[in-house]
Amino acid sequence: MALTFDLVPNTTRTPATDIAAIFENPGFVNHFSDHMAIAEWTSEGGWDKARVVNYGPFPLAPGAAVLHYGQEIFEGLKVYRHADGSLWSFRPEMNARRFIKSCERMALPTLPEEDFLASILALIRADEAWVPSGEEMSYYVRPYMFASDAFLGVHAGAKITYAVIGGPAGAYFSSGLAGVDIWVTTTYSRAGEGGTGAAKCGGNYASSLIAQQEGAEHGCSQVLFSDAASHEWVEELGGMNFFAVTTDGRLVTPPTSGTILDGVTRNSVLTLAPEFGLTPDVRPLSLSELYAGIDSGTIVEAFACGTAAVITPITSLVYEREGAESKLTLPNPEGEKTLAIRAALVDIQWGRAEDRYGWMHKVSA
Ligand code: COI
């Protein structure tokens, strides 16, 4: 039976003036809205206890399995306030389906698509006042699930917590549309064959942090991973997918094998590309082809894309060659095609252009 996420009465609310102050400078979800949707699963009873309560700490045992073995997954999607005040989410059913796949990979109980969507709707209805309007502003929704029972044997949890939290979000990168420099690591890997690369689990992001730090030491704000077996093939960035634009009008991105996350923004970009004279070219891309293409000018633009990052031009690739730092600047670092695709996407998301692919879902009453 479908879950009903009812609002527990008498929850407290942040005054409108305080929310307005947060909207002035939200960062990327530095503040969470007043409520969270929550449900619990037990191996005996299945999903139960769905509700919307005040955002606040979980009563979590120090022995809770998630703290030891990382049995956890998450999703990320955004809600946009259109000019008429209505609220809209972007392709949430894709997040629901990917969440199910992540559950399966991480031996977590699946949450039916309708319950996933109902939990988001219930949270947004409770926290409508927290959805900002204005350029680059949205409300970022974070559904997640983790093993909450306490034990130290390595096995799947029998008590699972599902929750949805969220808060106002501005641009993910402080550089905004000016673009980002990317560190290419061939020391660390994000995922291997048969691993968890295609699942959205916290461990993938935790393991990317050391490479991210290495990148920061080289002045870069993101890291590009290659395949674990040979370090020859482009995979994805620490928290986003990777695209390259060629002079002969191809939009190249590696296929989402078991090691690359099947991004919702990635999928949308591939759909929009032909509108800009670009032919989607989903195929393995080697680092040597990428470097040679940038060097010779046949690869003119590259960009990072994801829910958080939207579409952000890549200005340069920085990597280590023969023990020294090497830097390749993209021929078109401003990203002319990149920004055109971005504008088309965000115009749909903010309701400024026709929703020609049926991507938007109304979430306000
Ligand atoms: C997203 O794009 O929503 C992600 O989950 C990635 C992370 C950088 C926040």
Side-chain angles (χ1 to χ4, degrees):
M1 205 178 67
L3 296 174
T4 313
F5 290 83
D6 287 329
L7 179 65
V8 169
N10 301 324
T11 57
T12 54
R13 288 176 187 278
T14 304
T17 46
D18 292 4
I19 299 176
I22 291 168
F23 285 175
E24 291 296 311
N25 185 16
F28 185 78
V29 198
N30 293 334
H31 304 269
F32 292 93
S33 63
D34 289 323
H35 295 92
M36 60 185 192
I38 184 162
E40 290 163 37
W41 180 92
T42 57
S43 49
E44 306 88 45
W47 286 111
D48 194 16
K49 298 189 185 155
R51 60 214 186 270
V52 173
V53 296
N54 262 137
Y55 174 89
F58 293 112
L60 197 65
V66 66
L67 301 177
H68 302 273
Y69 306 126
Q71 197 191 2
E72 185 269 354
I73 58 165
F74 70 96
E75 268 303 324
L77 64 156
K78 284 176 174 170
V79 170
Y80 308 85
R81 188 179 287 282
H82 288 185
D84 65 358
S86 59
L87 306 181
W88 300 78
S89 64
F90 181 73
R91 311 186 77 183
E93 71 289 349
M94 290 198 76
N95 298 90
R97 289 177 208 146
R98 190 171 64 187
F99 200 59
I100 290 174
K101 284 193 180 151
S102 298
C103 287
E104 288 165 354
R105 178 62 185 85
M106 297 302 285
L108 285 160
T110 54
L111 182 76
E113 189 175 324
E114 61 177 332
D115 294 328
F116 181 93
L117 298 175
S119 65
I120 292 167
L121 200 63
L123 175 63
I124 297 300
R125 294 276 163 92
D127 283 350
E128 281 206 19
W130 283 86
V131 183
S133 55
E135 205 53 35
E136 298 305 317
M137 299 275 272
S138 60
Y139 177 97
Y140 184 84
V141 184
R142 171 52 59 87
Y144 59 114
M145 191 192 285
F146 57 90
S148 42
D149 45 349
F151 60 86
L152 292 187
V154 181
H155 57 82
K159 189 169 168 250
I160 305 297
T161 302
Y162 168 71
V164 193
I165 57 172
Y172 186 77
F173 291 113
S174 52
S175 56
L177 297 186
V180 285
D181 295 321
I182 300 290
W183 171 246
V184 186
T185 179
T186 45
T187 309
Y188 300 107
S189 306
R190 180 184 169 275
E193 284 303 324
T196 59
K200 207 158 171 66
C201 62
N204 290 344
Y205 295 78
S207 77
S208 77
L209 295 177
I210 188 167
Q212 188 77 28
Q213 285 172 348
E214 196 180 69
E217 284 161 19
H218 291 266
C220 297
S221 35
Q222 258 295 317
V223 59
L224 176 63
F225 289 98
S226 50
D227 72 297
S230 67
H231 286 303
E232 262 180 49
W233 302 96
V234 171
E235 295 231 308
E236 67 172 288
L237 300 155
M240 301 121 219
N241 293 119
F242 177 87
F243 279 87
V245 180
T246 66
T247 36
D248 63 353
R250 283 175 297 120
L251 183 65
V252 187
T253 195
T256 51
S257 59
T259 56
I260 297 179
L261 193 80
D262 192 1
V264 177
T265 312
R266 174 187 180 281
N267 179 286
S268 311
V269 164
L270 289 170
T271 303
L272 288 167
E275 295 187 17
F276 298 91
L278 292 172
T279 307
D281 192 4
V282 180
R283 62 165 172 88
L285 172 67
S286 69
L287 280 176
S288 41
E289 181 189 346
L290 179 62
Y291 294 157
I294 297 172
D295 211 24
S296 67
T298 55
I299 290 178
V300 274
E301 299 179 33
F303 61 87
C305 82
T307 299
V310 194
I311 295 174
T312 305
I314 292 174
T315 12
S316 75
L317 297 180
V318 184
Y319 56 100
E320 202 174 278
R321 187 162 56 186
E322 289 155 13
E325 181 185 296
S326 227
K327 183 170 183 167
L328 270 176
T329 300
L330 270 294
N332 184 348
E334 291 85 27
E336 189 192 322
K337 292 275 186 194
T338 301
L339 293 185
I341 300 173
R342 184 186 201 283
L345 178 71
V346 300
D347 280 350
I348 294 173
Q349 291 171 331
W350 270 282
R352 298 185 295 244
E354 186 202 341
D355 178 19
R356 49 201 179 276
Y357 301 103
W359 285 340
M360 303 308 291
H361 291 245
K362 195 171 183 198
V363 286
S364 50

